[in-house]
Amino acid sequence: MIPNVTKGDRMVGLINYLVGRGRANEHKDQRLIAASESIVSVEVGQRLDAGSALALGREMDIPKSVFGAGREGARHVFHVSLSLPADEGQLSDEAWGKIAHGFAEKMGFTGSDGKPPCRWIAIHHGSSTAGNDHIHLAVSMVREDGTRWSQHKDFKRAQDACAELEAEHGLRVVRGPHAERGYHPKERERAVAMGAAELGRDRLQRVLRAASTASMDEAEFVRRLRRSGVLVRPRFAQGGAGAIAGYSVALRPESKAEKPVWFGGGKIARDLTLPQLRKGWNVTDETVAAALAEWQAAAQGKRPTTEGREVHEPTAAEWEKATAEVGQLYERMKTIPLDDDALWAQIARETSGAFAAWSLRTEAVPGPLADTAKALARTAQLRRFPPRVEHAPMPSAKGAGMLLMQTSVGPSTAAGHALLLAQLRNTMRAIHDMHKAADRLGDAERVRAAAMDKLTIVRGDLQALQTQHATEQAPAAAGSGWLAAAPRVESEEEQVRRLVAQSFPGAPTQAPGDAPERTVGPKPTPGRDKDRGRGR
């Protein structure tokens, strides 16, 4: 359950909005489902209209009218929406009423803490435009005796209250160690007005994930960003241009009349700050100096100072090595402890980056590859990143990211892409199993749906290309380029099918004789790991 808190100073205006039609006419069948004992103008269960909304607003504001709102200009209206994920379905008004009372009590609105109560109401008016069932609570922060309700750490208190209510009412756990950045409504409105296929920040995130995963060092990252067509500028550390502390990116405006909208890496995603990205690159005195030169060239609008791997076509040996390394990564992931959030986030970031790179290379508009990259991106983002811990060297998906960012997909390369896809899906399976074992079922389902629903489409496209290649080429002709080292299409089909089928149990693509699902990491201790998965 997700709380969204806002504050204001117009109680009547807020309630009029909640009872009204909504921005997209999504408010329907508005009714009062719970309220504090001091609310008598409208009965719980009553349908609401403009008249009852005005009555509720005035009644809610009585303490403020009698005692004032405290210091001049202080906001006295607390508004929170509590919403369920769209795929969790609908709750009854009775169930929502119990949740509203529980939330009000845990937040200190009811007087159960020995202090005078606040006036509050809960309104249910159906699902949002995204299909999320939700309710709204409006609260007067002026108590019945004129004192003010404390706002100290109210956002965290709201999140903690929702986590407790999820456990009490058997709801899906939403809050955990992973969290994504939210979007401002104006971003969506702007994308709709421009007829864009995706939000600008989503496009930038794909580019950043692709470029950072495909790069071995910071200088290569800067060059890849510039080659992708986005605008990039460094943020120099205090004291001059001798060190880089961060960066910003923006989509290139379609006309000279428009100004670019800049975002810092951390505003796009929690794991895309420069300090976090540097954890995945080689860092030496030479790479630091090379990166500084590239950042300075970008700031001055000059050409890159050098060229690197980003301009070269991958070789057959590189394809073989990268595909094998992703397979080795899957085997190593089975030994990672469930509570090593940082390492799981790193692997998810690289896997997401590989799919983002593939999407940028092949999808004119965001498709199943972009959706898969986005589904994995949540696991890559932690609410709090711990200090860096040195691990033994691990296989990586970075090589796959480089391959997918630099190789076009055609009939002659489809077999190699299919093999790599199968290995990447196995990596996703391990991430799914980790979430499931930690009782983060929402995150587990997000990864499973991407792997089975989205990537099945990609696999079908690759199989079609393989069939086309087999039809066009004589069996004796092995092709050219890196595919020349691969097995013939006829003998490869069974291998591709077997690797792809090692995905999620119960899926239509599972082949007879596949190995059963394996749980990632050591067996969780009852109670401890379950509580940990709930973010408490």
Side-chain angles (χ1 to χ4, degrees), residues 84-352:
L84 301 177
D87 58 357
E88 192 157 352
Q90 308 283 317
L91 293 182
S92 67
D93 282 357
E94 180 182 4
W96 272 124
K98 292 178 180 178
I99 290 171
H101 276 285
F103 183 85
E105 182 173 347
K106 295 176 188 299
M107 293 296 289
F109 299 143
T110 63
S112 60
D113 55 359
K115 298 179 180 179
C118 300
R119 297 192 175 204
W120 62 272
I121 60 173
I123 294 175
H124 191 195
H125 55 202
S127 301
S128 68
T129 53
N132 306 86
D133 191 20
H134 67 286
I135 60 172
H136 294 263
L137 274 75
V139 186
S140 171
M141 290 189 281
V142 181
R143 298 181 183 274
E144 294 289 355
D145 67 345
T147 59
R148 285 186 65 89
W149 174 79
S150 173
Q151 302 179 53
H152 181 62
K153 293 186 177 180
D154 53 351
F155 289 91
K156 183 179 184 303
R157 287 157 58 193
Q159 291 172 334
D160 292 343
C162 284
E164 294 175 17
L165 289 166
E166 287 168 350
E168 293 172 11
H169 294 272
L171 300 174
R172 181 187 302 172
V173 175
V174 174
R175 182 173 171 81
H178 308 283
E180 296 175 289
R181 293 295 188 196
Y183 296 94
H184 194 282
K186 289 186 178 179
E187 292 183 64
R188 299 187 183 277
E189 294 171 4
R190 185 171 185 271
V192 171
M194 297 177 62
E198 64 182 331
L199 297 183
R201 238 187 324 159
D202 282 344
R203 170 73 181 184
L204 290 170
Q205 183 172 168
R206 274 198 297 151
V207 173
L208 290 175
R209 292 198 180 283
S212 61
T213 299
S215 301
M216 294 299 297
D217 55 47
E218 191 171 333
E220 184 179 345
F221 170 67
V222 180
R223 294 193 298 269
R224 286 189 184 277
L225 284 183
R226 298 183 71 184
R227 285 173 62 88
S228 69
V230 303
L231 303 177
V232 56
R233 64 186 183 191
R235 177 167 59 83
F236 293 101
Q238 289 184 336
I244 309 299
Y247 69 97
S248 298
V249 290
L251 295 178
R252 193 177 299 277
E254 295 185 359
S255 68
K256 293 183 178 180
E258 295 182 68
K259 293 183 178 180
V261 180
W262 292 91
F263 295 94
K267 292 295 183 181
I268 294 175
R270 296 171 185 267
D271 63 316
L272 295 180
T273 64
L274 196 53
Q276 289 300 325
L277 292 178
R278 283 170 172 162
K279 294 178 181 180
W281 294 326
N282 297 328
V283 179
T284 64
D285 291 342
E286 291 76 13
T287 62
V288 170
L292 178 59
E294 295 295 357
W295 283 119
Q296 290 174 333
Q300 298 167 13
K302 297 181 179 179
R303 296 174 63 87
T305 61
T306 187
E307 290 184 341
R309 300 187 316 153
E310 68 277 359
V311 301
H312 300 300
E313 187 73 16
T315 64
E318 287 174 320
W319 267 95
E320 183 178 353
K321 178 182 177 181
T323 303
E325 190 170 8
V326 177
Q328 295 163 9
L329 173 61
Y330 170 61
E331 294 299 323
R332 286 288 299 275
M333 290 172 75
K334 299 174 186 176
T335 67
I336 299 175
L338 286 176
D339 60 357
D340 196 340
D341 294 330
L343 187 53
W344 283 108
Q346 173 188 322
I347 295 170
R349 178 168 56 251
E350 293 175 357
T351 309
S352 175

Side-chain angles (χ1 to χ4, degrees), residues 414-437:
H417 280 80
L419 287 170
L420 187 52
L421 174 65
Q423 301 288 26
L424 289 170
R425 286 181 71 172
N426 279 338
T427 304
M428 292 179 67
R429 175 184 177 177
I431 294 172
H432 162 274
D433 290 351
M434 176 271 296
H435 283 308
K436 187 175 180 181

